[in-house]
Amino acid sequence: MIYQFDSRVRYSEVDMDKKLTLPSILNYFQDCSSFHSEHLGVGIDYLKDRQCAWVLSAWQIVLGNIPVFGQKVTVQTWPYAFKGFLGFRNFCLRDEQGEKLAWANSIWTYVDLKTGHPARVSKREAEVYVSEERLEMDYAPRKISIPAEKAQKESFPVVRHYLDTNHHVNNGQYVQMAMEFLPENFQIGQMRAEYKKAALLGDVIVPYVAQTDEVCTVLLCGEGETTYAVVEFTKKKGNGEGTEQL
C-alpha cells in the first residue's frame, strides 16, 4: 500500500539555482511517512499515548534530476519489511510523468521512551502497515565507514529550532549541519546518514570532516566519546544522474 501526496516546489524549498534542496527533499520524505502513519491512525498522538516512537537509524537518499521552483511533484512512501524492533521504508519523489527524481531507503527503530531501549513493534502497527516490494536500487550498508584522517571544526550548541516533537535534534537538522562543511560546488549524488545517539537542547556539537575528490564524510560528535550522527555525501556523476554505488 503506497501512500503519496502531491505538491509543488515552493520558493522556500529551493537554492540559489531554483533547485529543490536536499534538506527539502528529506523533509518531503519525512512528512510523507508522518502523513502515512496519521492516515493509518498510528501517528504522533497514538505513539505519545503509548510512550513509544519510531526513531530513524539510517538514511540513504539518491538524487537524480532535481526538480525546480514551481514544478509539480508527487511524494511516495511504503514500508517493505519489519524485523523485531526495526522497520524498513522506501521513498520516491516523482515528476508529473512518473519519472523518479529522488529515491531513498530508510531504517527505523521502534523505541520504548520509558526505558530508552528498542521494543518490538506493537501488534496493531504490525497489522495496519501493509508491506510492499522494496524499491529497486543499490542498497548501501547501514553503517558508514569512518575515515582515519579527519579535521576538527568549530563546535556549536544545539538550539531550540533543531528539535522535533520528541525533543531531540530532528534527523534532517543533522544533514543541514553537515552540509555546511561541503566543498564549494560539490554536487550531491547520494547522501547517507547513520544516527547513533540523539542530541538534546544545550548539547555541544563537535564536527569532524574527512574529504576526498568524490566523498565528504562529516561526523557530528559530542564532547568526549559521543557520536550523534555520521553523514556521508557522494559527488554526483558527470552525466547528471545520482550515484547509488559507493
Side-chain angles (χ1 to χ4, degrees):
M1 182 174 160
I2 295 176
Y3 182 86
Q4 67 181 42
F5 72 90
D6 296 326
S7 189
R8 189 178 182 188
V9 177
R10 301 164 178 82
Y11 184 77
S12 59
E13 299 170 335
V14 300
D15 61 16
M16 293 181 290
D17 298 318
K18 298 195 302 183
K19 292 184 177 181
L20 188 65
T21 65
L22 172 59
S24 296
I25 292 171
L26 190 151
N27 285 337
Y28 271 146
F29 288 166
Q30 183 170 253
D31 288 343
C32 194
S33 63
S34 298
F35 290 157
H36 187 198
S37 297
E38 294 293 333
H39 175 73
L40 295 174
V42 289
I44 294 172
D45 291 339
Y46 171 88
L47 292 170
K48 183 178 179 181
D49 289 344
R50 286 151 185 80
Q51 296 188 57
C52 292
W54 282 105
V55 177
L56 189 63
S57 296
W59 268 122
Q60 179 191 2
I61 299 178
V62 184
L63 305 181
N65 294 315
I66 306 301
V68 298
F69 169 64
Q71 187 171 340
K72 294 181 179 179
V73 294
T74 297
V75 190
Q76 299 177 324
T77 189
W78 61 96
Y80 64 84
F82 292 94
K83 297 178 182 177
F85 53 78
L86 294 177
F88 300 81
R89 181 182 281 272
N90 284 138
F91 297 85
C92 196
L93 181 69
R94 298 183 184 271
D95 64 15
E96 288 187 279
Q97 289 71 47
E99 294 297 319
K100 291 192 303 180
L101 304 173
W103 51 99
N105 182 48
S106 62
I107 303 172
W108 302 74
T109 302
Y110 196 70
V111 175
D112 183 333
L113 296 178
K114 299 186 294 295
T115 65
H117 299 306
R120 185 168 292 276
V121 179
S122 72
K123 182 179 178 182
R124 180 181 178 189
E125 288 172 87
E127 290 174 347
V128 298
Y129 286 115
V130 178
S131 296
E132 295 286 335
E133 291 294 320
R134 76 175 191 168
L135 185 69
E136 218 175 289
M137 61 182 283
D138 291 334
Y139 286 81
R142 179 176 67 84
K143 291 189 175 295
I144 297 173
S145 298
I146 307 300
E149 299 292 327
K150 45 193 177 292
Q152 182 176 340
K153 303 296 183 179
E154 185 176 353
S155 60
F156 54 90
V158 172
V159 294
R160 286 185 178 86
H161 78 262
Y162 292 155
L163 307 182
D164 58 21
T165 56
N166 294 318
H167 303 284
H168 300 157
V169 172
N170 182 267
N171 69 83
Q173 293 288 346
Y174 292 107
V175 176
Q176 288 188 294
M177 293 174 192
M179 287 180 67
E180 291 297 317
F181 302 101
L182 284 173
E184 191 173 355
N185 299 320
F186 188 101
Q187 297 293 314
I188 303 169
Q190 176 176 271
M191 185 280 297
R192 295 170 61 204
E194 180 188 351
Y195 300 98
K196 294 176 174 288
K197 182 180 179 180
L200 307 174
L201 182 65
D203 286 339
V204 174
I205 305 292
V206 184
Y208 295 85
V209 180
Q211 185 183 328
T212 67
D213 289 341
E214 301 298 323
V215 178
C216 180
T217 305
V218 181
L219 282 73
L220 298 168
C221 302
E223 297 175 307
E225 301 281 323
T226 303
T227 300
Y228 297 120
V230 183
V231 185
E232 178 193 82
F233 303 97
T234 303
K235 187 177 289 187
K236 179 168 284 192
K237 295 177 181 177
N239 61 8
E241 291 298 322
T243 176
E244 298 180 5
Q245 201 68 42
L246 299 183

PDB file of all heavy atoms in Angstrom, residues 110-135:
ATOM      1  N   TYR A 110      12.026   1.051  16.593  1.00  0.00           N
ATOM      2  CA  TYR A 110      10.873   1.295  17.462  1.00  0.00           C
ATOM      3  C   TYR A 110      11.386   1.325  18.904  1.00  0.00           C
ATOM      4  O   TYR A 110      11.998   0.366  19.380  1.00  0.00           O
ATOM      5  CB  TYR A 110       9.861   0.170  17.283  1.00  0.00           C
ATOM      6  CG  TYR A 110       8.472   0.466  17.817  1.00  0.00           C
ATOM      7  CD1 TYR A 110       7.657   1.385  17.185  1.00  0.00           C
ATOM      8  CD2 TYR A 110       7.983  -0.186  18.940  1.00  0.00           C
ATOM      9  CE1 TYR A 110       6.377   1.652  17.647  1.00  0.00           C
ATOM     10  CE2 TYR A 110       6.706   0.068  19.419  1.00  0.00           C
ATOM     11  CZ  TYR A 110       5.912   0.982  18.758  1.00  0.00           C
ATOM     12  OH  TYR A 110       4.643   1.248  19.229  1.00  0.00           O
ATOM     13  N   VAL A 111      11.170   2.464  19.577  1.00  0.00           N
ATOM     14  CA  VAL A 111      11.782   2.688  20.892  1.00  0.00           C
ATOM     15  C   VAL A 111      10.713   2.895  21.960  1.00  0.00           C
ATOM     16  O   VAL A 111       9.731   3.619  21.752  1.00  0.00           O
ATOM     17  CB  VAL A 111      12.708   3.922  20.839  1.00  0.00           C
ATOM     18  CG1 VAL A 111      13.252   4.253  22.229  1.00  0.00           C
ATOM     19  CG2 VAL A 111      13.871   3.672  19.878  1.00  0.00           C
ATOM     20  N   ASP A 112      10.912   2.248  23.102  1.00  0.00           N
ATOM     21  CA  ASP A 112      10.105   2.490  24.289  1.00  0.00           C
ATOM     22  C   ASP A 112      10.701   3.707  24.997  1.00  0.00           C
ATOM     23  O   ASP A 112      11.815   3.647  25.524  1.00  0.00           O
ATOM     24  CB  ASP A 112      10.150   1.257  25.203  1.00  0.00           C
ATOM     25  CG  ASP A 112       9.276   1.397  26.439  1.00  0.00           C
ATOM     26  OD1 ASP A 112       9.046   2.540  26.894  1.00  0.00           O
ATOM     27  OD2 ASP A 112       8.832   0.368  26.975  1.00  0.00           O
ATOM     28  N   LEU A 113       9.975   4.825  25.013  1.00  0.00           N
ATOM     29  CA  LEU A 113      10.514   6.058  25.569  1.00  0.00           C
ATOM     30  C   LEU A 113      10.661   5.998  27.089  1.00  0.00           C
ATOM     31  O   LEU A 113      11.414   6.785  27.675  1.00  0.00           O
ATOM     32  CB  LEU A 113       9.622   7.241  25.172  1.00  0.00           C
ATOM     33  CG  LEU A 113       9.551   7.527  23.668  1.00  0.00           C
ATOM     34  CD1 LEU A 113       8.597   8.685  23.392  1.00  0.00           C
ATOM     35  CD2 LEU A 113      10.932   7.827  23.095  1.00  0.00           C
ATOM     36  N   LYS A 114       9.954   5.072  27.729  1.00  0.00           N
ATOM     37  CA  LYS A 114      10.073   4.936  29.191  1.00  0.00           C
ATOM     38  C   LYS A 114      11.439   4.376  29.569  1.00  0.00           C
ATOM     39  O   LYS A 114      12.017   4.747  30.582  1.00  0.00           O
ATOM     40  CB  LYS A 114       8.957   4.033  29.736  1.00  0.00           C
ATOM     41  CG  LYS A 114       7.545   4.544  29.496  1.00  0.00           C
ATOM     42  CD  LYS A 114       6.510   3.694  30.185  1.00  0.00           C
ATOM     43  CE  LYS A 114       6.428   2.285  29.600  1.00  0.00           C
ATOM     44  NZ  LYS A 114       5.959   2.286  28.189  1.00  0.00           N
ATOM     45  N   THR A 115      11.946   3.455  28.762  1.00  0.00           N
ATOM     46  CA  THR A 115      13.229   2.818  29.060  1.00  0.00           C
ATOM     47  C   THR A 115      14.364   3.350  28.193  1.00  0.00           C
ATOM     48  O   THR A 115      15.533   3.211  28.542  1.00  0.00           O
ATOM     49  CB  THR A 115      13.132   1.296  28.847  1.00  0.00           C
ATOM     50  OG1 THR A 115      12.893   1.031  27.450  1.00  0.00           O
ATOM     51  CG2 THR A 115      12.000   0.707  29.672  1.00  0.00           C
ATOM     52  N   GLY A 116      13.990   3.931  27.034  1.00  0.00           N
ATOM     53  CA  GLY A 116      15.004   4.378  26.089  1.00  0.00           C
ATOM     54  C   GLY A 116      15.575   3.252  25.252  1.00  0.00           C
ATOM     55  O   GLY A 116      16.519   3.463  24.475  1.00  0.00           O
ATOM     56  N   HIS A 117      14.998   2.053  25.355  1.00  0.00           N
ATOM     57  CA  HIS A 117      15.508   0.884  24.648  1.00  0.00           C
ATOM     58  C   HIS A 117      14.590   0.488  23.492  1.00  0.00           C
ATOM     59  O   HIS A 117      13.383   0.756  23.528  1.00  0.00           O
ATOM     60  CB  HIS A 117      15.654  -0.305  25.604  1.00  0.00           C
ATOM     61  CG  HIS A 117      16.617  -0.065  26.723  1.00  0.00           C
ATOM     62  ND1 HIS A 117      17.916   0.344  26.518  1.00  0.00           N
ATOM     63  CD2 HIS A 117      16.467  -0.174  28.081  1.00  0.00           C
ATOM     64  CE1 HIS A 117      18.530   0.468  27.678  1.00  0.00           C
ATOM     65  NE2 HIS A 117      17.673   0.171  28.643  1.00  0.00           N
ATOM     66  N   PRO A 118      15.144  -0.185  22.492  1.00  0.00           N
ATOM     67  CA  PRO A 118      14.306  -0.705  21.411  1.00  0.00           C
ATOM     68  C   PRO A 118      13.265  -1.675  21.943  1.00  0.00           C
ATOM     69  O   PRO A 118      13.496  -2.383  22.930  1.00  0.00           O
ATOM     70  CB  PRO A 118      15.308  -1.426  20.501  1.00  0.00           C
ATOM     71  CG  PRO A 118      16.625  -0.772  20.787  1.00  0.00           C
ATOM     72  CD  PRO A 118      16.580  -0.431  22.244  1.00  0.00           C
ATOM     73  N   ALA A 119      12.096  -1.685  21.286  1.00  0.00           N
ATOM     74  CA  ALA A 119      10.997  -2.569  21.688  1.00  0.00           C
ATOM     75  C   ALA A 119      10.375  -3.180  20.444  1.00  0.00           C
ATOM     76  O   ALA A 119      10.444  -2.607  19.352  1.00  0.00           O
ATOM     77  CB  ALA A 119       9.949  -1.788  22.482  1.00  0.00           C
ATOM     78  N   ARG A 120       9.765  -4.339  20.615  1.00  0.00           N
ATOM     79  CA  ARG A 120       9.105  -4.991  19.489  1.00  0.00           C
ATOM     80  C   ARG A 120       7.939  -4.137  19.015  1.00  0.00           C
ATOM     81  O   ARG A 120       7.222  -3.544  19.827  1.00  0.00           O
ATOM     82  CB  ARG A 120       8.623  -6.379  19.901  1.00  0.00           C
ATOM     83  CG  ARG A 120       8.021  -7.198  18.754  1.00  0.00           C
ATOM     84  CD  ARG A 120       7.848  -8.640  19.166  1.00  0.00           C
ATOM     85  NE  ARG A 120       9.136  -9.297  19.338  1.00  0.00           N
ATOM     86  CZ  ARG A 120       9.823  -9.840  18.328  1.00  0.00           C
ATOM     87  NH1 ARG A 120       9.352  -9.783  17.093  1.00  0.00           N
ATOM     88  NH2 ARG A 120      10.964 -10.438  18.569  1.00  0.00           N
ATOM     89  N   VAL A 121       7.757  -4.071  17.707  1.00  0.00           N
ATOM     90  CA  VAL A 121       6.667  -3.286  17.119  1.00  0.00           C
ATOM     91  C   VAL A 121       5.329  -3.805  17.633  1.00  0.00           C
ATOM     92  O   VAL A 121       5.113  -5.022  17.718  1.00  0.00           O
ATOM     93  CB  VAL A 121       6.721  -3.373  15.580  1.00  0.00           C
ATOM     94  CG1 VAL A 121       5.575  -2.577  14.954  1.00  0.00           C
ATOM     95  CG2 VAL A 121       8.051  -2.857  15.058  1.00  0.00           C
ATOM     96  N   SER A 122       4.431  -2.877  17.996  1.00  0.00           N
ATOM     97  CA  SER A 122       3.137  -3.274  18.542  1.00  0.00           C
ATOM     98  C   SER A 122       2.330  -4.074  17.514  1.00  0.00           C
ATOM     99  O   SER A 122       2.502  -3.916  16.303  1.00  0.00           O
ATOM    100  CB  SER A 122       2.340  -2.045  18.964  1.00  0.00           C
ATOM    101  OG  SER A 122       1.886  -1.329  17.836  1.00  0.00           O
ATOM    102  N   LYS A 123       1.433  -4.919  18.011  1.00  0.00           N
ATOM    103  CA  LYS A 123       0.624  -5.771  17.137  1.00  0.00           C
ATOM    104  C   LYS A 123      -0.206  -4.941  16.180  1.00  0.00           C
ATOM    105  O   LYS A 123      -0.315  -5.253  14.997  1.00  0.00           O
ATOM    106  CB  LYS A 123      -0.286  -6.660  17.990  1.00  0.00           C
ATOM    107  CG  LYS A 123      -1.139  -7.619  17.175  1.00  0.00           C
ATOM    108  CD  LYS A 123      -2.005  -8.491  18.072  1.00  0.00           C
ATOM    109  CE  LYS A 123      -2.881  -9.418  17.228  1.00  0.00           C
ATOM    110  NZ  LYS A 123      -3.780 -10.248  18.070  1.00  0.00           N
ATOM    111  N   ARG A 124      -0.800  -3.839  16.692  1.00  0.00           N
ATOM    112  CA  ARG A 124      -1.647  -3.010  15.828  1.00  0.00           C
ATOM    113  C   ARG A 124      -0.854  -2.425  14.673  1.00  0.00           C
ATOM    114  O   ARG A 124      -1.294  -2.457  13.525  1.00  0.00           O
ATOM    115  CB  ARG A 124      -2.293  -1.886  16.637  1.00  0.00           C
ATOM    116  CG  ARG A 124      -3.188  -1.010  15.756  1.00  0.00           C
ATOM    117  CD  ARG A 124      -3.840   0.125  16.494  1.00  0.00           C
ATOM    118  NE  ARG A 124      -4.620   0.934  15.586  1.00  0.00           N
ATOM    119  CZ  ARG A 124      -5.174   2.091  15.899  1.00  0.00           C
ATOM    120  NH1 ARG A 124      -5.056   2.567  17.130  1.00  0.00           N
ATOM    121  NH2 ARG A 124      -5.852   2.783  15.007  1.00  0.00           N
ATOM    122  N   GLU A 125       0.330  -1.890  14.979  1.00  0.00           N
ATOM    123  CA  GLU A 125       1.131  -1.289  13.915  1.00  0.00           C
ATOM    124  C   GLU A 125       1.614  -2.326  12.916  1.00  0.00           C
ATOM    125  O   GLU A 125       1.667  -2.068  11.711  1.00  0.00           O
ATOM    126  CB  GLU A 125       2.305  -0.526  14.525  1.00  0.00           C
ATOM    127  CG  GLU A 125       1.866   0.756  15.205  1.00  0.00           C
ATOM    128  CD  GLU A 125       2.995   1.417  15.967  1.00  0.00           C
ATOM    129  OE1 GLU A 125       3.732   2.193  15.355  1.00  0.00           O
ATOM    130  OE2 GLU A 125       3.122   1.149  17.181  1.00  0.00           O
ATOM    131  N   ALA A 126       1.959  -3.491  13.409  1.00  0.00           N
ATOM    132  CA  ALA A 126       2.389  -4.554  12.503  1.00  0.00           C
ATOM    133  C   ALA A 126       1.260  -4.960  11.556  1.00  0.00           C
ATOM    134  O   ALA A 126       1.512  -5.379  10.419  1.00  0.00           O
ATOM    135  CB  ALA A 126       2.860  -5.766  13.303  1.00  0.00           C
ATOM    136  N   GLU A 127       0.018  -4.809  12.016  1.00  0.00           N
ATOM    137  CA  GLU A 127      -1.132  -5.192  11.192  1.00  0.00           C
ATOM    138  C   GLU A 127      -1.564  -4.094  10.227  1.00  0.00           C
ATOM    139  O   GLU A 127      -1.965  -4.379   9.097  1.00  0.00           O
ATOM    140  CB  GLU A 127      -2.308  -5.579  12.097  1.00  0.00           C
ATOM    141  CG  GLU A 127      -2.095  -6.885  12.855  1.00  0.00           C
ATOM    142  CD  GLU A 127      -3.196  -7.182  13.849  1.00  0.00           C
ATOM    143  OE1 GLU A 127      -4.004  -6.259  14.138  1.00  0.00           O
ATOM    144  OE2 GLU A 127      -3.241  -8.316  14.365  1.00  0.00           O
ATOM    145  N   VAL A 128      -1.508  -2.805  10.663  1.00  0.00           N
ATOM    146  CA  VAL A 128      -2.030  -1.741   9.804  1.00  0.00           C
ATOM    147  C   VAL A 128      -1.076  -1.349   8.683  1.00  0.00           C
ATOM    148  O   VAL A 128      -1.509  -0.914   7.613  1.00  0.00           O
ATOM    149  CB  VAL A 128      -2.418  -0.480  10.611  1.00  0.00           C
ATOM    150  CG1 VAL A 128      -3.511  -0.790  11.598  1.00  0.00           C
ATOM    151  CG2 VAL A 128      -1.222   0.149  11.290  1.00  0.00           C
ATOM    152  N   TYR A 129       0.227  -1.502   8.907  1.00  0.00           N
ATOM    153  CA  TYR A 129       1.172  -1.212   7.834  1.00  0.00           C
ATOM    154  C   TYR A 129       1.237  -2.408   6.883  1.00  0.00           C
ATOM    155  O   TYR A 129       1.568  -3.523   7.284  1.00  0.00           O
ATOM    156  CB  TYR A 129       2.570  -0.954   8.395  1.00  0.00           C
ATOM    157  CG  TYR A 129       2.738   0.388   9.076  1.00  0.00           C
ATOM    158  CD1 TYR A 129       3.011   0.469  10.440  1.00  0.00           C
ATOM    159  CD2 TYR A 129       2.650   1.573   8.357  1.00  0.00           C
ATOM    160  CE1 TYR A 129       3.183   1.698  11.071  1.00  0.00           C
ATOM    161  CE2 TYR A 129       2.816   2.804   8.975  1.00  0.00           C
ATOM    162  CZ  TYR A 129       3.082   2.856  10.323  1.00  0.00           C
ATOM    163  OH  TYR A 129       3.254   4.074  10.948  1.00  0.00           O
ATOM    164  N   VAL A 130       0.936  -2.161   5.623  1.00  0.00           N
ATOM    165  CA  VAL A 130       0.979  -3.220   4.621  1.00  0.00           C
ATOM    166  C   VAL A 130       2.292  -3.101   3.853  1.00  0.00           C
ATOM    167  O   VAL A 130       2.563  -2.074   3.229  1.00  0.00           O
ATOM    168  CB  VAL A 130      -0.218  -3.118   3.650  1.00  0.00           C
ATOM    169  CG1 VAL A 130      -0.138  -4.207   2.585  1.00  0.00           C
ATOM    170  CG2 VAL A 130      -1.525  -3.207   4.424  1.00  0.00           C
ATOM    171  N   SER A 131       3.101  -4.128   3.906  1.00  0.00           N
ATOM    172  CA  SER A 131       4.405  -4.087   3.240  1.00  0.00           C
ATOM    173  C   SER A 131       4.266  -4.274   1.732  1.00  0.00           C
ATOM    174  O   SER A 131       3.449  -5.075   1.259  1.00  0.00           O
ATOM    175  CB  SER A 131       5.327  -5.171   3.808  1.00  0.00           C
ATOM    176  OG  SER A 131       5.594  -4.923   5.173  1.00  0.00           O
ATOM    177  N   GLU A 132       5.069  -3.514   0.994  1.00  0.00           N
ATOM    178  CA  GLU A 132       5.152  -3.626  -0.456  1.00  0.00           C
ATOM    179  C   GLU A 132       6.526  -4.170  -0.838  1.00  0.00           C
ATOM    180  O   GLU A 132       7.414  -4.311   0.013  1.00  0.00           O
ATOM    181  CB  GLU A 132       4.945  -2.243  -1.100  1.00  0.00           C
ATOM    182  CG  GLU A 132       3.557  -1.644  -0.888  1.00  0.00           C
ATOM    183  CD  GLU A 132       2.489  -2.316  -1.740  1.00  0.00           C
ATOM    184  OE1 GLU A 132       2.841  -2.882  -2.792  1.00  0.00           O
ATOM    185  OE2 GLU A 132       1.311  -2.260  -1.347  1.00  0.00           O
ATOM    186  N   GLU A 133       6.705  -4.434  -2.132  1.00  0.00           N
ATOM    187  CA  GLU A 133       8.021  -4.836  -2.621  1.00  0.00           C
ATOM    188  C   GLU A 133       8.997  -3.686  -2.441  1.00  0.00           C
ATOM    189  O   GLU A 133       8.649  -2.520  -2.638  1.00  0.00           O
ATOM    190  CB  GLU A 133       7.945  -5.214  -4.105  1.00  0.00           C
ATOM    191  CG  GLU A 133       7.171  -6.491  -4.388  1.00  0.00           C
ATOM    192  CD  GLU A 133       7.865  -7.714  -3.807  1.00  0.00           C
ATOM    193  OE1 GLU A 133       9.115  -7.794  -3.889  1.00  0.00           O
ATOM    194  OE2 GLU A 133       7.166  -8.585  -3.258  1.00  0.00           O
ATOM    195  N   ARG A 134      10.230  -3.995  -2.067  1.00  0.00           N
ATOM    196  CA  ARG A 134      11.190  -2.915  -1.869  1.00  0.00           C
ATOM    197  C   ARG A 134      11.631  -2.343  -3.214  1.00  0.00           C
ATOM    198  O   ARG A 134      11.643  -3.037  -4.244  1.00  0.00           O
ATOM    199  CB  ARG A 134      12.377  -3.381  -1.047  1.00  0.00           C
ATOM    200  CG  ARG A 134      13.408  -4.243  -1.716  1.00  0.00           C
ATOM    201  CD  ARG A 134      14.568  -4.480  -0.753  1.00  0.00           C
ATOM    202  NE  ARG A 134      15.703  -5.084  -1.429  1.00  0.00           N
ATOM    203  CZ  ARG A 134      16.919  -5.178  -0.893  1.00  0.00           C
ATOM    204  NH1 ARG A 134      17.131  -4.714   0.336  1.00  0.00           N
ATOM    205  NH2 ARG A 134      17.918  -5.713  -1.548  1.00  0.00           N
ATOM    206  N   LEU A 135      11.975  -1.072  -3.191  1.00  0.00           N
ATOM    207  CA  LEU A 135      12.371  -0.343  -4.389  1.00  0.00           C
ATOM    208  C   LEU A 135      13.640  -0.939  -4.988  1.00  0.00           C
ATOM    209  O   LEU A 135      14.548  -1.361  -4.258  1.00  0.00           O
ATOM    210  CB  LEU A 135      12.610   1.127  -4.021  1.00  0.00           C
ATOM    211  CG  LEU A 135      12.923   2.104  -5.146  1.00  0.00           C
ATOM    212  CD1 LEU A 135      11.697   2.314  -6.026  1.00  0.00           C
ATOM    213  CD2 LEU A 135      13.368   3.439  -4.556  1.00  0.00           C
TER     214      LEU A 135
END
